[in-house]
């Protein structure tokens, strides 16, 4: 089946909000085996949205819309979709009751315009919103489907996962079937290098193997389509095993929800290690990634943000002579930062990051994007040089991903 994504909101066209819904929904459609050939962003305008819907119904089997289901006058998605399908809006008692409960449970006053969100096209399938007030809606017209989802990701994502994905699977020819995926996550290797080693597996039809490049990582999604979950898992298992064999320690997990920082914290706990960080150009982003992990307090001691030379000396003991002779962005400074942070925090493991994130501050000898990192593990120290590309935010993000990978590799070097 062919699916089409339509994201509604003038704020998306103006660039006020990044359209993360389109990327997420496209990924979900691919995992479900849907062909997605078109994506459209349209403003809060009934005439233009109507034209987009009519065009979409001519060329696609399923239209998935996000946004425009709110209580205000410029929220026109539901009204426009109903008009295109020749349906009148009726009040859905269940939705109204849930909206009233939503406000009452939070001690908030429900205004009259919120009642608008309980209006649904006659004959539509109404999907409960467990995280907001706007219900989802599924409309069927001449064998085509129009699916309306709320715009906020914290409402859209759980609604899609709980209700919409199973509905889409049920539409498969021959009756309900199952799509099952596992993701093999790799760090420390580039996308082209990884892909060159899986060309034979990419030719598979069921399961399929698809690479996705992330910052500092490559994810390989293995997806099977079968009559039931047990059969789908059976198809996926040997391919995942083959990828683990090919990439060895570079694979940090084969579980969809596990992040690199999750895997790192688990590794620290397994070996009874504590950790600290010393950051310059990343300014605490690395510590923030670690603190994302529930239970990290068992291993994370503290983090040092040593942006100035004075703080590098005062907090983690970098020698004045080192800074004078080699500069703040140098392998020598990175090494002293890591060892000094471990000593100051009383930690078994420490990683340091010092570099030039730009856009200013670079030179021919030390250009923007030059970053040095060091990792201290129980008296052993490794130092690495990196040259990242991109703007300031990208360089900092890449630095954090590389630091997590370095820390993991060094711990494995010592503890296996």
């Amino acid at each position: 089946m062919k699916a089409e994504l339509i994201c509604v909101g003038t704020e998306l066209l103006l660039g006020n909000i990044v359209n993360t819904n389109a990327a997420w929904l496209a990924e979900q459609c691919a995992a479900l085996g849907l062909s997605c050939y078109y994506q459209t962003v349209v403003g809060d305008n009934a005439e233009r949205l109507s034209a987009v819907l009519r065009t979409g119904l001519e060329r696609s089997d399923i239209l998935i819309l996000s946004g425009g289901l709110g209580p205000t006058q410029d929220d026109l998605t539901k009204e426009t979709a109903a008009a295109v399908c020749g349906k009148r809006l009726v009040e859905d008692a269940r939705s109204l009751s849930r909206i009233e409960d939503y406000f009452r449970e939070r001690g908030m006053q429900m205004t009259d315009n919120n009642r608008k969100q309980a209006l649904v096209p006659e004959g539509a399938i109404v999907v409960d919103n467990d995280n907001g007030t706007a219900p989802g809606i599924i409309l069927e017209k001449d064998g085509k489907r129009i699916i309306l989802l709320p715009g906020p990701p914290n409402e859209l994502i759980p609604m899609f996962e709980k209700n919409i994905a199973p509905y889409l699977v049920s539409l498969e020819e021959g009756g309900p079937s199952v799509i099952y995926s596992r993701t093999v996550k790799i760090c420390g290797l580039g996308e082209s290098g990884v892909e060159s080693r899986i060309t034979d597996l990419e030719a598979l039809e069921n399961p399929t193997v698809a690479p996705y490049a992330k910052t500092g990582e490559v994810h390989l999604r293995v997806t099977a389509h079968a009559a039931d979950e047990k059969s789908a898992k059976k198809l996926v298992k040997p391919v995942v095993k083959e990828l683990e064999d090919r990439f060895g320690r570079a694979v940090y997990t084969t579980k969809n929800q596990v992040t690199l920082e999750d895997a790192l914290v688990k590794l620290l706990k397994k070996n009874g290690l504590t950790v600290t960080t010393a950051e310059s150009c990343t300014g605490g982003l690395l510590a923030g990634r670690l603190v994302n992990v529930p239970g990290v307090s068992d291993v994370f001691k503290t983090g040092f943000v040593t942006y100035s030379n004075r703080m590098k000396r005062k907090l983690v003991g970098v020698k004045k002579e080192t800074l004078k002779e080699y500069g703040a962005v140098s392998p020598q400074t990175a090494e002293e930062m890591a060892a000094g942070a471990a000593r100051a925090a009383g930690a078994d493991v420490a990683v340091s990051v010092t570099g030039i994130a730009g856009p200013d501050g670079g030179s021919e000898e030390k250009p923007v994007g030059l970053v040095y990192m060091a990792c201290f593990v129980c008296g052993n120290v490794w130092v690495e040089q990196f040259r990242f590309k991109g703007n300031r935010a990208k360089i900092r993000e890449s630095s954090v991903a590389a630091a997590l990978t370095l820390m993991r590799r060094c711990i494995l070097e010592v503890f296996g």
Side-chain angles (χ1 to χ4, degrees), residues 90-388:
V90 296
E91 189 170 87
D92 181 62
R94 175 178 170 81
S95 294
L96 179 59
S97 177
R98 287 176 62 88
I99 293 168
E100 290 172 340
D101 289 345
Y102 180 93
F103 283 95
R104 183 172 56 254
E105 289 167 3
R106 289 160 178 76
M108 300 166 61
Q109 182 68 38
M110 176 178 162
T111 56
D112 289 340
N113 59 356
N114 283 111
R115 195 179 184 101
K116 169 191 171 187
Q117 293 182 295
L119 295 175
V120 302
E122 190 173 23
I125 299 171
V126 181
V127 182
D128 289 341
N129 186 344
D130 296 328
N131 300 281
T133 54
I137 294 168
I138 301 173
L139 280 162
E140 298 180 347
K141 176 180 170 60
D142 302 328
K144 306 292 182 79
R145 274 84 178 177
I146 302 176
I147 299 172
L148 310 182
L149 300 172
N154 66 323
E155 299 178 31
L156 178 148
I157 291 173
M159 183 183 291
F160 188 95
E161 291 178 336
K162 180 180 178 181
N163 302 104
I164 305 304
Y167 170 79
L168 293 172
V169 168
S170 74
L171 300 178
E172 289 289 328
E173 292 183 10
S177 60
V178 168
I179 301 286
Y180 175 76
S181 294
R182 281 180 66 186
T183 304
V184 178
K185 299 184 180 182
I186 296 167
C187 61
L189 297 176
E191 182 184 15
S192 58
V194 169
E195 190 164 19
S196 68
R197 294 161 63 177
I198 62 166
T199 51
D200 58 324
L201 298 178
E202 286 183 293
L204 296 173
E205 294 185 359
N206 191 27
T208 59
V209 179
Y212 299 89
K214 308 289 183 180
T215 300
E217 303 179 36
V218 180
H219 294 182
L220 302 176
R221 174 173 286 164
V222 184
T223 304
H225 190 165
D228 54 72
E229 186 171 312
K230 183 177 179 181
S231 300
K233 286 182 176 179
K234 189 174 181 180
L235 290 169
V236 165
K237 185 176 180 180
V239 179
V240 170
K241 178 64 166 59
E242 176 62 25
L243 290 169
E244 288 181 301
D245 291 342
R246 291 191 188 188
F247 293 101
R249 282 185 172 180
V251 175
Y252 71 82
T253 189
T254 60
K255 296 180 180 178
N256 295 353
Q257 304 304 319
V258 173
T259 65
L260 180 53
E261 53 266 35
D262 289 331
L264 180 56
V265 169
K266 182 179 179 181
L267 184 63
L268 289 161
K269 289 182 177 182
K270 176 185 175 182
N271 292 287
L273 302 172
T274 56
V275 66
T276 188
T277 56
E279 304 178 63
S280 183
C281 64
T282 48
L285 290 178
L286 175 58
R289 281 281 294 270
L290 290 172
V291 174
N292 281 339
V293 182
V296 73
S297 56
D298 293 341
V299 296
F300 184 62
K301 289 246 178 177
T302 189
F304 301 97
V305 178
T306 57
Y307 207 73
S308 69
N309 284 356
R310 182 170 178 269
M311 289 298 103
K312 289 180 177 65
R313 292 168 54 195
K314 181 178 180 180
L315 296 179
V316 295
V318 177
K319 296 184 182 68
K320 184 178 181 179
E321 296 77 15
T322 301
L323 291 166
K324 184 176 181 180
E325 183 174 355
Y326 302 107
V329 181
S330 66
Q332 294 83 1
T333 295
E335 182 173 356
E336 291 187 18
M337 284 173 66
R343 184 171 56 250
D348 305 304
V349 178
V351 66
S352 65
V353 184
T354 180
I356 305 169
D360 304 317
S363 65
E364 187 174 342
E365 182 184 359
K366 295 183 178 182
V368 169
L370 175 66
V371 179
Y372 288 100
M373 300 180 196
C375 186
F376 173 99
V377 181
C378 300
N380 305 282
V381 183
W382 293 260
V383 182
E384 299 256 341
Q385 180 194 86
F386 298 87
R387 291 181 181 267
F388 298 117

Side-chain angles (χ1 to χ4, degrees), residues 6-19:
I6 302 171
C7 298
V8 183
T10 303
E11 69 277 7
L12 296 172
L13 289 174
L14 295 175
N16 299 140
I17 296 177
V18 177
N19 189 8

